[in-house]
Amino acid sequence: MVKEYKSNTFSLLIQEPKYALQVFNALNGTSYNDEAEIQIDMLENGVQLTVRNDASFLLDGYLSLYEHQSSPNFNMPLRGLLYIVKLLEPYVENKALLKRNRVYIPNPQFVVLYNGNETQPEIQTLKLSDSYLNKDIPSSLELTCVVYNINGHYNPKLTENCDAIQGYMAFVDKVRSLYKGLNKEQIKAAVKEAIEYCIENSILPEFFRKNRELIEENEMLDLTFDRQLELATKDAKEEGIAEKALQVYQNCIARGMSKDVAVEISGIKEADIPAS
């Protein structure tokens, strides 16, 4: 199953200027309050936010790409590079780069909000240069991606001062407490109940009422994909363990040990022992 579908819950949330401004202000320490100041466009797997200042866009302009991740991904700077190049194209007129005058562009900003189950730092900065094959040669091209862990007690100033992030995590935490990861119907039921919980407890109620069907559909796809990935990872790990056990078993036999002793030392299953 390929994880390609309509906007996930986080993307749906910050497609709305009201919540987008909250997230932007929380991340940047700003206090924008005019929804007309923000323009939102969608890229595949990302949300572009353009915030402008009445005085001068060129002096106070941001081109922000925000993503949510439920699993660590060290390729985010490379993905960000490709995204930002696409985002900047509209700002460059045909042949403008051949002219002498400087071409001004908005300030790129790439942020990932992480809420997965794996333990991760509170804040970490991923660099494009970490992916370079030869790190002995200085490079003139760098791109950073700041990853904020929004789980639990992490980044309290960010989560406590932003209803959008706080409400989103309340929804995620409720789904996690209900979801047992057994089948699609249980996933669907957990997401549906979490939405009802948020509405009943005044957690972004307007958002969840309006987007109920999309959220149910997309979260079910998301969790189903994550479950399949989890099972695939588990299978690969078990295969690796079996392969290692076989190597130990074969080494024991090569040293003249009996089959019973080799089995006991290696922990190999009888079914994994090749026929002699």
Side-chain angles (χ1 to χ4, degrees), residues 46-152:
V47 179
Q48 169 196 348
L49 305 178
T50 301
V51 179
R52 62 183 184 277
N53 183 282
D54 286 335
S56 173
F57 174 80
L58 297 179
L59 293 176
D60 193 14
Y62 300 84
L63 184 64
S64 300
L65 184 65
Y66 292 169
E67 278 206 40
H68 143 265
Q69 289 286 328
S70 58
S71 57
N73 186 334
F74 296 106
N75 294 313
M76 295 310 292
L78 181 55
R79 289 176 58 179
L81 175 65
L82 301 178
Y83 290 159
I84 290 171
V85 167
K86 291 181 181 178
L87 292 173
L88 290 178
E89 285 179 353
Y91 295 93
V92 181
E93 296 179 3
N94 188 32
K95 297 185 179 180
L97 296 180
L98 299 177
K99 299 178 182 179
R100 178 171 179 172
N101 294 339
R102 187 186 305 276
V103 174
Y104 290 92
I105 60 175
N107 304 38
Q109 180 191 55
F110 189 24
V111 172
V112 169
L113 300 180
Y114 170 78
N115 71 336
N117 290 316
E118 295 184 39
T119 301
Q120 292 292 307
E122 185 168 52
I123 300 175
Q124 58 180 321
T125 300
L126 305 180
K127 297 181 178 180
L128 181 65
S129 58
D130 292 335
S131 298
Y132 291 156
L133 290 172
N134 192 335
K135 295 181 175 58
D136 295 329
I137 301 175
S139 174
S140 57
L141 178 62
E142 183 64 281
L143 185 147
T144 59
C145 169
V146 182
V147 183
Y148 293 90
N149 189 339
I150 57 174
N151 281 301

Side-chain angles (χ1 to χ4, degrees), residues 203-265:
I203 300 170
L204 306 178
E206 294 179 6
F207 167 75
F208 283 108
R209 285 193 187 100
K210 183 174 73 172
N211 296 284
R212 184 195 304 265
E213 291 184 6
L214 278 176
I215 293 171
E216 287 183 9
E217 176 187 354
N218 297 335
E219 287 298 318
M220 187 176 75
L221 288 169
D222 202 355
L223 289 168
T224 301
F225 176 86
D226 288 344
R227 178 59 173 164
Q228 289 181 343
L229 183 61
E230 178 185 340
L231 292 174
T233 302
K234 182 179 179 182
D235 289 342
K237 186 175 180 180
E238 289 178 350
E239 287 176 5
I241 292 173
E243 184 178 348
K244 185 175 181 180
L246 177 59
Q247 291 176 351
V248 174
Y249 171 82
Q250 291 174 334
N251 288 338
C252 290
I253 295 297
R255 293 187 179 185
M257 299 180 187
S258 67
K259 178 180 177 181
D260 291 341
V261 173
V263 168
E264 184 176 353
I265 292 176

